[in-house]
Amino acid sequence: MTQGSRAAEKAPVTQSQMKYTRGGEPRPQQVKHDSSDPWLAGTPADDADSGDDPSDAAAADAAVLLAGRLRVNGAMCECRLTGHALDIGPGGGAQQRIDTAEMCAVVYGEDKGGGERRGGRRGRRFVVHALCVVDGKPFARLHTVITCEARCSASAAEWVALLRAASGVDNSARKPVLVFINPFGGTGRATDLFGACEPLFKATMLRYEVIPTAGPGHAFHHVRGMPPGVYSAVIAVGGDGLVSELINGIMQRPDCMPLRALCKL
C-alpha cells in the first residue's frame, strides 16, 4: 500500500513528546474520535481503554489520540494514532504501523509551489514522511511516504496537529538548516550524496542553505563568525576534516561557553 511495507520495531515516544500534569507526571491523552461526518465515522475495535494505570508512561503511550477513517494512498482505511505509532489498515485487513519516532515530516496539504495549502480539496490532504528502519539496522532506512485525505480541511488540520505533536516534528516552524559540502570530501562523492538526499529535504519542506567549501578553514571561519539563532542545525557532507572544522568553529564561538565548560568536566 505504501513504499515502505515493512514495519519497524516499536520505538517508544520520548518523554518530551508527552503531556504532563502540574506535578510533572506524564498523563495519557483522552481518546478523541474523528466522527463529525459519516465519511470519517468508524472506530477501530481495540480503541477501548486497556485498563492500565493512567499514571503509567506506557499507558500514556498506548492511549489513542485520534481515530477515524482516512483515504490512504487511494484506499479507505481505518486509522488510529497513539503516542508512539500511526496504525493504518483497511477494514479487516492487515495493519501497517508507522512509528512516530521514525517520522521526519508531516506536511499539511500541498500546492504546486511546494508550500502548504489549507483550503479547497488540497486542504483535505496531508503527507506523512518517515525513515523506517530496515531489518533492524538503525542506519538502513527506507523513505516511506503516506498520502492521506480527510473528509474536510478541519479534520485534516486536526490529524496534522496531533501527528506533529506525537512525533515532535514540525518543519513548518523550524529554522533552516545549514549544509556544508566539501566537493572533494568523502572520496569525492559528497556532492552526489547530498544530491540523493536533497529531494527528501524538499518533500518534507525542510528549509536549508547549502555552502560548498572553497578550501581548508572555510567552514571553520564561517561557523565561528555567523550570527546566533539563525539555523536549527549544521550538517557536514564530506570527510572527517569537514566535521572537525565545524566542531572547532562551534567550540570557539562566544555563545558556546556552556558547552566548553561541560567538555572540561
Side-chain angles (χ1 to χ4, degrees), residues 44-45 47 129 148 159 207 216 233 242 263:
D47 275 356
H129 295 267
C148 305
W159 276 97
R207 295 178 296 158
L242 178 58
C263 292

Side-chain angles (χ1 to χ4, degrees), residues 118-238:
R118 297 175 180 266
R121 181 178 175 84
R122 290 182 181 271
R124 292 156 35 187
R125 299 173 183 169
F126 58 94
V127 183
V128 179
H129 295 267
L131 295 175
C132 298
V133 175
V134 178
D135 296 331
K137 301 175 182 178
F139 295 105
R141 299 276 179 158
L142 178 65
H143 180 204
T144 303
V145 181
I146 309 292
T147 303
C148 305
E149 182 177 347
R151 177 62 182 86
C152 61
S153 59
S155 175
E158 186 174 27
W159 276 97
V160 169
L162 289 174
L163 281 163
R164 287 175 172 174
S167 64
V169 176
D170 184 1
N171 288 341
S172 65
R174 182 175 180 173
K175 295 177 182 178
V177 299
L178 182 60
V179 182
F180 286 95
I181 302 177
N182 180 0
F184 304 101
T187 65
R189 298 183 296 110
T191 301
D192 293 338
L193 178 62
F194 179 73
C197 300
E198 192 172 18
L200 178 61
F201 282 39
K202 294 180 178 179
T204 58
M205 296 187 182
L206 179 64
R207 295 178 296 158
Y208 62 98
E209 296 179 20
V210 177
I211 299 180
T213 56
H218 182 182
F220 168 81
H221 292 292
H222 188 98
V223 170
R224 186 180 64 174
M226 68 184 185
V230 177
Y231 303 101
S232 60
V234 178
I235 299 175
V237 185

